[in-house]
Amino acid sequence: MRVLVVGGGGREHALAWKCAASPRVREVLVAPGNAGTATEPKVRNVAIAAEDTAALVQLARTERVDLTIVGPEGPLVAGIVDAFTAAGLACFGPNRAAARLEGSKAHMKDFLRRHGIPTARSATFTQATFDPDWVRAQRAPLVVKASGLAAGKGVIIAESTDEALASARAMFAGQFGQAGEEVVVEEFLPGEEASFIVIADGRHVLPLASSQDHKRRDDGDRGPNTGGMGAYSPAPVVTAAMHARIMREVIEPTVQGLAADGSPFTGFLYAGIMIAPDGTPNVLEFNCRLGDPETQPILTRLASDLTELCEAALAGRLDQVQASWDPRAALGVVIAAGGYPDGVRKGDVVEGLQAAAQLPGKIFHGGTRLEDGRVLTSGGRVLCAVGLGASVADAQRQAYRLAGAVHWPGMHYRRDIGYRAVARGA
Ligand code: AMP
Ligand code: GLY
């Protein structure tokens, strides 16, 4: 079969690599891909942007693509699955109605409340309905969120109610464009975060291995929020009991609730969970896609054929398949470009990839492009070095050895990815 992966980041490199490993798959097309997918066996980049739905439908037709997997949220929220389905093409992901769960945090909070799913107390405002007195009456810290898609940047942790007011006003004034036309203000939840990602087929659910991401730029979880600076799987905080609780209190009611609301969810459903000190799994966010960088360690551990799981989900028979996992831990360290997450420096030559290829583990590319046989940086999160080991600590050692082999001016990465798991002895 022929597979098309839509997107060009680290998540999409991992998706393409995993699909290409399937004996069923003859070729994987990636639109637009990166330097990593350009050099992966059985994989071919196609210069079409992930947002160009019409051109992607055309490509899938002319190349006789059997299965399309969409990586990023943008095309999903814009309705790429609806367009493929209307053209009679198999496309794995939620349709536009289901993807709204990520596209609008205001909608998500309303959904969680209506279905009794645990989450932070919150209020939603537009500029016209904004109530500064409500904000002043809350206890700080508060979390202020632009409701729409803001590439992981539209969330401000405000240490005081004054800061929360200023953040909300900046969002109404256009700091995040249209994404900030509605603003959610919510209580700050203490606890430990986990990424809980499942495959859904509208009714049934197949959980993927648990993982944990590091959202802050700097060691010790300091500095600005980013798209994610590293991740590992499994996450020891998700014990067997916690896994059962998240399935029962979050995932099942979400999938059933979406179906009951008339927008059944097919695709990867990502719940960002804050596990409270008392064990309550509060939903921080839903994503309608796989996480980046969580995908890189998760797919490194997936022993099953991903294309079979996606096809089973598209056929509504996810209850008839299982996923098997490499029992080892995987850990990915994101190597970012100078300036990330703000003004990103681009166009530097990435050195050391050949030496790294001799080491155990795998480097997935994110923001890279190939030019005259050289790999150049072209985005914020440039590479993700993934190690595999009997423990998270072993995987961490392997990942950092890989990361140490590559160089370019201004590159930076965290030195403590996985520290919570390692402190637990995992
Ligand atoms: P979100 O995009 O909503 O997941 O927010 C991005 C990050 O901000 C999360 O991964 C958390 O680290 C943090 N965050 C969001 N909401 C809260 C909250 N209510 N309490 C504490 N931290 C939060
Ligand atoms: N790593 C967080 C995300 O993909 O949203």
PDB file of all heavy atoms in Angstrom, residues 81-110:
ATOM      1  N   VAL A  81     -10.018  16.221   6.778  1.00  0.00           N
ATOM      2  CA  VAL A  81     -10.615  14.878   6.752  1.00  0.00           C
ATOM      3  C   VAL A  81     -11.955  14.913   6.016  1.00  0.00           C
ATOM      4  O   VAL A  81     -12.271  13.994   5.251  1.00  0.00           O
ATOM      5  CB  VAL A  81     -10.761  14.314   8.185  1.00  0.00           C
ATOM      6  CG1 VAL A  81     -11.577  13.026   8.189  1.00  0.00           C
ATOM      7  CG2 VAL A  81      -9.380  14.066   8.785  1.00  0.00           C
ATOM      8  N   ASP A  82     -12.723  15.980   6.199  1.00  0.00           N
ATOM      9  CA  ASP A  82     -14.002  16.125   5.495  1.00  0.00           C
ATOM     10  C   ASP A  82     -13.756  16.143   3.978  1.00  0.00           C
ATOM     11  O   ASP A  82     -14.500  15.532   3.217  1.00  0.00           O
ATOM     12  CB  ASP A  82     -14.703  17.415   5.936  1.00  0.00           C
ATOM     13  CG  ASP A  82     -14.795  17.520   7.457  1.00  0.00           C
ATOM     14  OD1 ASP A  82     -13.718  17.595   8.104  1.00  0.00           O
ATOM     15  OD2 ASP A  82     -15.895  17.508   7.996  1.00  0.00           O
ATOM     16  N   ALA A  83     -12.709  16.864   3.567  1.00  0.00           N
ATOM     17  CA  ALA A  83     -12.426  16.971   2.126  1.00  0.00           C
ATOM     18  C   ALA A  83     -11.995  15.626   1.542  1.00  0.00           C
ATOM     19  O   ALA A  83     -12.449  15.237   0.464  1.00  0.00           O
ATOM     20  CB  ALA A  83     -11.342  18.027   1.883  1.00  0.00           C
ATOM     21  N   PHE A  84     -11.132  14.905   2.254  1.00  0.00           N
ATOM     22  CA  PHE A  84     -10.700  13.589   1.769  1.00  0.00           C
ATOM     23  C   PHE A  84     -11.882  12.625   1.724  1.00  0.00           C
ATOM     24  O   PHE A  84     -12.057  11.883   0.758  1.00  0.00           O
ATOM     25  CB  PHE A  84      -9.578  13.021   2.670  1.00  0.00           C
ATOM     26  CG  PHE A  84      -8.194  13.396   2.219  1.00  0.00           C
ATOM     27  CD1 PHE A  84      -7.752  14.703   2.331  1.00  0.00           C
ATOM     28  CD2 PHE A  84      -7.331  12.454   1.686  1.00  0.00           C
ATOM     29  CE1 PHE A  84      -6.465  15.060   1.916  1.00  0.00           C
ATOM     30  CE2 PHE A  84      -6.047  12.787   1.263  1.00  0.00           C
ATOM     31  CZ  PHE A  84      -5.619  14.098   1.378  1.00  0.00           C
ATOM     32  N   THR A  85     -12.695  12.639   2.780  1.00  0.00           N
ATOM     33  CA  THR A  85     -13.829  11.717   2.849  1.00  0.00           C
ATOM     34  C   THR A  85     -14.803  11.998   1.703  1.00  0.00           C
ATOM     35  O   THR A  85     -15.297  11.069   1.058  1.00  0.00           O
ATOM     36  CB  THR A  85     -14.539  11.853   4.212  1.00  0.00           C
ATOM     37  OG1 THR A  85     -13.541  11.709   5.234  1.00  0.00           O
ATOM     38  CG2 THR A  85     -15.599  10.784   4.402  1.00  0.00           C
ATOM     39  N   ALA A  86     -15.044  13.274   1.445  1.00  0.00           N
ATOM     40  CA  ALA A  86     -15.957  13.636   0.350  1.00  0.00           C
ATOM     41  C   ALA A  86     -15.420  13.141  -0.992  1.00  0.00           C
ATOM     42  O   ALA A  86     -16.190  12.842  -1.907  1.00  0.00           O
ATOM     43  CB  ALA A  86     -16.153  15.150   0.315  1.00  0.00           C
ATOM     44  N   ALA A  87     -14.082  13.029  -1.101  1.00  0.00           N
ATOM     45  CA  ALA A  87     -13.467  12.555  -2.343  1.00  0.00           C
ATOM     46  C   ALA A  87     -13.329  11.032  -2.355  1.00  0.00           C
ATOM     47  O   ALA A  87     -12.710  10.466  -3.264  1.00  0.00           O
ATOM     48  CB  ALA A  87     -12.096  13.216  -2.521  1.00  0.00           C
ATOM     49  N   GLY A  88     -13.855  10.373  -1.303  1.00  0.00           N
ATOM     50  CA  GLY A  88     -13.788   8.905  -1.247  1.00  0.00           C
ATOM     51  C   GLY A  88     -12.421   8.378  -0.871  1.00  0.00           C
ATOM     52  O   GLY A  88     -12.077   7.237  -1.176  1.00  0.00           O
ATOM     53  N   LEU A  89     -11.621   9.202  -0.186  1.00  0.00           N
ATOM     54  CA  LEU A  89     -10.253   8.813   0.175  1.00  0.00           C
ATOM     55  C   LEU A  89     -10.152   8.564   1.683  1.00  0.00           C
ATOM     56  O   LEU A  89     -10.744   9.298   2.475  1.00  0.00           O
ATOM     57  CB  LEU A  89      -9.276   9.929  -0.208  1.00  0.00           C
ATOM     58  CG  LEU A  89      -9.157  10.205  -1.707  1.00  0.00           C
ATOM     59  CD1 LEU A  89      -8.552  11.588  -1.950  1.00  0.00           C
ATOM     60  CD2 LEU A  89      -8.292   9.120  -2.365  1.00  0.00           C
ATOM     61  N   ALA A  90      -9.382   7.522   2.058  1.00  0.00           N
ATOM     62  CA  ALA A  90      -9.234   7.177   3.476  1.00  0.00           C
ATOM     63  C   ALA A  90      -8.248   8.131   4.132  1.00  0.00           C
ATOM     64  O   ALA A  90      -7.084   8.210   3.736  1.00  0.00           O
ATOM     65  CB  ALA A  90      -8.744   5.735   3.612  1.00  0.00           C
ATOM     66  N   CYS A  91      -8.711   8.862   5.128  1.00  0.00           N
ATOM     67  CA  CYS A  91      -7.863   9.847   5.790  1.00  0.00           C
ATOM     68  C   CYS A  91      -8.048   9.698   7.291  1.00  0.00           C
ATOM     69  O   CYS A  91      -9.170   9.833   7.804  1.00  0.00           O
ATOM     70  CB  CYS A  91      -8.261  11.248   5.335  1.00  0.00           C
ATOM     71  SG  CYS A  91      -7.176  12.533   5.953  1.00  0.00           S
ATOM     72  N   PHE A  92      -6.956   9.425   7.995  1.00  0.00           N
ATOM     73  CA  PHE A  92      -7.048   9.146   9.417  1.00  0.00           C
ATOM     74  C   PHE A  92      -6.885  10.412  10.241  1.00  0.00           C
ATOM     75  O   PHE A  92      -5.831  11.045  10.238  1.00  0.00           O
ATOM     76  CB  PHE A  92      -5.987   8.116   9.825  1.00  0.00           C
ATOM     77  CG  PHE A  92      -6.171   7.667  11.236  1.00  0.00           C
ATOM     78  CD1 PHE A  92      -7.301   6.952  11.604  1.00  0.00           C
ATOM     79  CD2 PHE A  92      -5.250   7.990  12.222  1.00  0.00           C
ATOM     80  CE1 PHE A  92      -7.499   6.558  12.911  1.00  0.00           C
ATOM     81  CE2 PHE A  92      -5.443   7.597  13.533  1.00  0.00           C
ATOM     82  CZ  PHE A  92      -6.564   6.876  13.875  1.00  0.00           C
ATOM     83  N   GLY A  93      -7.962  10.752  10.961  1.00  0.00           N
ATOM     84  CA  GLY A  93      -7.956  11.942  11.810  1.00  0.00           C
ATOM     85  C   GLY A  93      -9.396  12.328  12.059  1.00  0.00           C
ATOM     86  O   GLY A  93     -10.307  11.805  11.413  1.00  0.00           O
ATOM     87  N   PRO A  94      -9.640  13.246  12.993  1.00  0.00           N
ATOM     88  CA  PRO A  94     -11.003  13.705  13.245  1.00  0.00           C
ATOM     89  C   PRO A  94     -11.473  14.650  12.145  1.00  0.00           C
ATOM     90  O   PRO A  94     -10.666  15.372  11.559  1.00  0.00           O
ATOM     91  CB  PRO A  94     -10.875  14.449  14.575  1.00  0.00           C
ATOM     92  CG  PRO A  94      -9.456  14.916  14.601  1.00  0.00           C
ATOM     93  CD  PRO A  94      -8.655  13.880  13.881  1.00  0.00           C
ATOM     94  N   ASN A  95     -12.778  14.642  11.893  1.00  0.00           N
ATOM     95  CA  ASN A  95     -13.312  15.636  10.965  1.00  0.00           C
ATOM     96  C   ASN A  95     -13.363  16.990  11.665  1.00  0.00           C
ATOM     97  O   ASN A  95     -13.010  17.123  12.842  1.00  0.00           O
ATOM     98  CB  ASN A  95     -14.670  15.214  10.399  1.00  0.00           C
ATOM     99  CG  ASN A  95     -15.726  15.104  11.482  1.00  0.00           C
ATOM    100  OD1 ASN A  95     -15.550  15.604  12.597  1.00  0.00           O
ATOM    101  ND2 ASN A  95     -16.824  14.452  11.169  1.00  0.00           N
ATOM    102  N   ARG A  96     -13.793  17.973  10.909  1.00  0.00           N
ATOM    103  CA  ARG A  96     -13.765  19.340  11.421  1.00  0.00           C
ATOM    104  C   ARG A  96     -14.570  19.514  12.710  1.00  0.00           C
ATOM    105  O   ARG A  96     -14.129  20.180  13.649  1.00  0.00           O
ATOM    106  CB  ARG A  96     -14.314  20.245  10.314  1.00  0.00           C
ATOM    107  CG  ARG A  96     -14.194  21.666  10.613  1.00  0.00           C
ATOM    108  CD  ARG A  96     -14.754  22.483   9.466  1.00  0.00           C
ATOM    109  NE  ARG A  96     -14.828  23.846   9.928  1.00  0.00           N
ATOM    110  CZ  ARG A  96     -14.962  24.887   9.154  1.00  0.00           C
ATOM    111  NH1 ARG A  96     -15.056  24.725   7.859  1.00  0.00           N
ATOM    112  NH2 ARG A  96     -15.014  26.079   9.660  1.00  0.00           N
ATOM    113  N   ALA A  97     -15.737  18.888  12.758  1.00  0.00           N
ATOM    114  CA  ALA A  97     -16.598  19.036  13.938  1.00  0.00           C
ATOM    115  C   ALA A  97     -15.917  18.447  15.174  1.00  0.00           C
ATOM    116  O   ALA A  97     -15.919  19.058  16.250  1.00  0.00           O
ATOM    117  CB  ALA A  97     -17.943  18.365  13.688  1.00  0.00           C
ATOM    118  N   ALA A  98     -15.299  17.268  15.041  1.00  0.00           N
ATOM    119  CA  ALA A  98     -14.653  16.627  16.189  1.00  0.00           C
ATOM    120  C   ALA A  98     -13.368  17.365  16.579  1.00  0.00           C
ATOM    121  O   ALA A  98     -13.018  17.458  17.764  1.00  0.00           O
ATOM    122  CB  ALA A  98     -14.368  15.161  15.874  1.00  0.00           C
ATOM    123  N   ALA A  99     -12.666  17.921  15.582  1.00  0.00           N
ATOM    124  CA  ALA A  99     -11.395  18.603  15.847  1.00  0.00           C
ATOM    125  C   ALA A  99     -11.584  19.920  16.596  1.00  0.00           C
ATOM    126  O   ALA A  99     -10.618  20.499  17.103  1.00  0.00           O
ATOM    127  CB  ALA A  99     -10.645  18.853  14.526  1.00  0.00           C
ATOM    128  N   ARG A 100     -12.820  20.376  16.671  1.00  0.00           N
ATOM    129  CA  ARG A 100     -13.078  21.617  17.412  1.00  0.00           C
ATOM    130  C   ARG A 100     -12.666  21.507  18.873  1.00  0.00           C
ATOM    131  O   ARG A 100     -12.456  22.502  19.550  1.00  0.00           O
ATOM    132  CB  ARG A 100     -14.576  21.920  17.347  1.00  0.00           C
ATOM    133  CG  ARG A 100     -14.874  23.259  16.750  1.00  0.00           C
ATOM    134  CD  ARG A 100     -16.353  23.550  16.807  1.00  0.00           C
ATOM    135  NE  ARG A 100     -16.610  24.715  17.640  1.00  0.00           N
ATOM    136  CZ  ARG A 100     -17.708  24.912  18.340  1.00  0.00           C
ATOM    137  NH1 ARG A 100     -18.656  24.002  18.343  1.00  0.00           N
ATOM    138  NH2 ARG A 100     -17.856  25.997  19.057  1.00  0.00           N
ATOM    139  N   LEU A 101     -12.592  20.270  19.351  1.00  0.00           N
ATOM    140  CA  LEU A 101     -12.166  20.048  20.729  1.00  0.00           C
ATOM    141  C   LEU A 101     -10.794  20.688  20.983  1.00  0.00           C
ATOM    142  O   LEU A 101     -10.502  21.146  22.083  1.00  0.00           O
ATOM    143  CB  LEU A 101     -12.090  18.534  20.968  1.00  0.00           C
ATOM    144  CG  LEU A 101     -12.284  18.017  22.373  1.00  0.00           C
ATOM    145  CD1 LEU A 101     -13.590  18.479  22.980  1.00  0.00           C
ATOM    146  CD2 LEU A 101     -12.226  16.495  22.374  1.00  0.00           C
ATOM    147  N   GLU A 102      -9.928  20.695  19.975  1.00  0.00           N
ATOM    148  CA  GLU A 102      -8.650  21.392  20.101  1.00  0.00           C
ATOM    149  C   GLU A 102      -8.742  22.818  19.570  1.00  0.00           C
ATOM    150  O   GLU A 102      -8.076  23.722  20.090  1.00  0.00           O
ATOM    151  CB  GLU A 102      -7.523  20.652  19.355  1.00  0.00           C
ATOM    152  CG  GLU A 102      -6.216  21.448  19.373  1.00  0.00           C
ATOM    153  CD  GLU A 102      -4.984  20.683  18.934  1.00  0.00           C
ATOM    154  OE1 GLU A 102      -5.099  19.509  18.542  1.00  0.00           O
ATOM    155  OE2 GLU A 102      -3.891  21.270  18.999  1.00  0.00           O
ATOM    156  N   GLY A 103      -9.559  23.025  18.568  1.00  0.00           N
ATOM    157  CA  GLY A 103      -9.596  24.326  17.890  1.00  0.00           C
ATOM    158  C   GLY A 103     -10.180  25.440  18.725  1.00  0.00           C
ATOM    159  O   GLY A 103      -9.914  26.610  18.481  1.00  0.00           O
ATOM    160  N   SER A 104     -10.991  25.068  19.740  1.00  0.00           N
ATOM    161  CA  SER A 104     -11.607  26.078  20.596  1.00  0.00           C
ATOM    162  C   SER A 104     -11.575  25.611  22.050  1.00  0.00           C
ATOM    163  O   SER A 104     -12.285  24.675  22.427  1.00  0.00           O
ATOM    164  CB  SER A 104     -13.060  26.332  20.168  1.00  0.00           C
ATOM    165  OG  SER A 104     -13.760  27.023  21.188  1.00  0.00           O
ATOM    166  N   LYS A 105     -10.742  26.270  22.867  1.00  0.00           N
ATOM    167  CA  LYS A 105     -10.680  25.886  24.280  1.00  0.00           C
ATOM    168  C   LYS A 105     -11.984  26.244  24.983  1.00  0.00           C
ATOM    169  O   LYS A 105     -12.383  25.591  25.949  1.00  0.00           O
ATOM    170  CB  LYS A 105      -9.503  26.573  24.966  1.00  0.00           C
ATOM    171  CG  LYS A 105      -8.147  25.961  24.603  1.00  0.00           C
ATOM    172  CD  LYS A 105      -7.053  26.499  25.491  1.00  0.00           C
ATOM    173  CE  LYS A 105      -5.651  26.199  24.965  1.00  0.00           C
ATOM    174  NZ  LYS A 105      -5.232  24.805  25.155  1.00  0.00           N
ATOM    175  N   ALA A 106     -12.670  27.297  24.497  1.00  0.00           N
ATOM    176  CA  ALA A 106     -13.966  27.664  25.076  1.00  0.00           C
ATOM    177  C   ALA A 106     -14.949  26.512  24.877  1.00  0.00           C
ATOM    178  O   ALA A 106     -15.645  26.094  25.812  1.00  0.00           O
ATOM    179  CB  ALA A 106     -14.489  28.934  24.413  1.00  0.00           C
ATOM    180  N   HIS A 107     -14.972  25.957  23.662  1.00  0.00           N
ATOM    181  CA  HIS A 107     -15.838  24.815  23.354  1.00  0.00           C
ATOM    182  C   HIS A 107     -15.434  23.610  24.214  1.00  0.00           C
ATOM    183  O   HIS A 107     -16.278  22.905  24.767  1.00  0.00           O
ATOM    184  CB  HIS A 107     -15.712  24.498  21.861  1.00  0.00           C
ATOM    185  CG  HIS A 107     -16.246  23.164  21.457  1.00  0.00           C
ATOM    186  ND1 HIS A 107     -17.581  22.851  21.481  1.00  0.00           N
ATOM    187  CD2 HIS A 107     -15.619  22.034  21.040  1.00  0.00           C
ATOM    188  CE1 HIS A 107     -17.750  21.604  21.077  1.00  0.00           C
ATOM    189  NE2 HIS A 107     -16.575  21.088  20.811  1.00  0.00           N
ATOM    190  N   MET A 108     -14.120  23.379  24.339  1.00  0.00           N
ATOM    191  CA  MET A 108     -13.631  22.237  25.116  1.00  0.00           C
ATOM    192  C   MET A 108     -14.065  22.336  26.575  1.00  0.00           C
ATOM    193  O   MET A 108     -14.524  21.364  27.174  1.00  0.00           O
ATOM    194  CB  MET A 108     -12.110  22.167  25.038  1.00  0.00           C
ATOM    195  CG  MET A 108     -11.520  21.098  25.926  1.00  0.00           C
ATOM    196  SD  MET A 108      -9.784  21.378  26.329  1.00  0.00           S
ATOM    197  CE  MET A 108      -9.876  22.768  27.412  1.00  0.00           C
ATOM    198  N   LYS A 109     -13.936  23.524  27.164  1.00  0.00           N
ATOM    199  CA  LYS A 109     -14.315  23.691  28.578  1.00  0.00           C
ATOM    200  C   LYS A 109     -15.813  23.443  28.750  1.00  0.00           C
ATOM    201  O   LYS A 109     -16.245  22.809  29.705  1.00  0.00           O
ATOM    202  CB  LYS A 109     -13.941  25.089  29.081  1.00  0.00           C
ATOM    203  CG  LYS A 109     -12.450  25.382  29.112  1.00  0.00           C
ATOM    204  CD  LYS A 109     -11.649  24.498  30.044  1.00  0.00           C
ATOM    205  CE  LYS A 109     -11.857  24.808  31.501  1.00  0.00           C
ATOM    206  NZ  LYS A 109     -10.816  24.144  32.352  1.00  0.00           N
ATOM    207  N   ASP A 110     -16.591  23.939  27.812  1.00  0.00           N
ATOM    208  CA  ASP A 110     -18.039  23.737  27.851  1.00  0.00           C
ATOM    209  C   ASP A 110     -18.359  22.242  27.741  1.00  0.00           C
ATOM    210  O   ASP A 110     -19.191  21.710  28.482  1.00  0.00           O
ATOM    211  CB  ASP A 110     -18.670  24.536  26.699  1.00  0.00           C
ATOM    212  CG  ASP A 110     -20.148  24.301  26.609  1.00  0.00           C
ATOM    213  OD1 ASP A 110     -20.830  24.589  27.609  1.00  0.00           O
ATOM    214  OD2 ASP A 110     -20.627  23.816  25.556  1.00  0.00           O
TER     215      ASP A 110
END
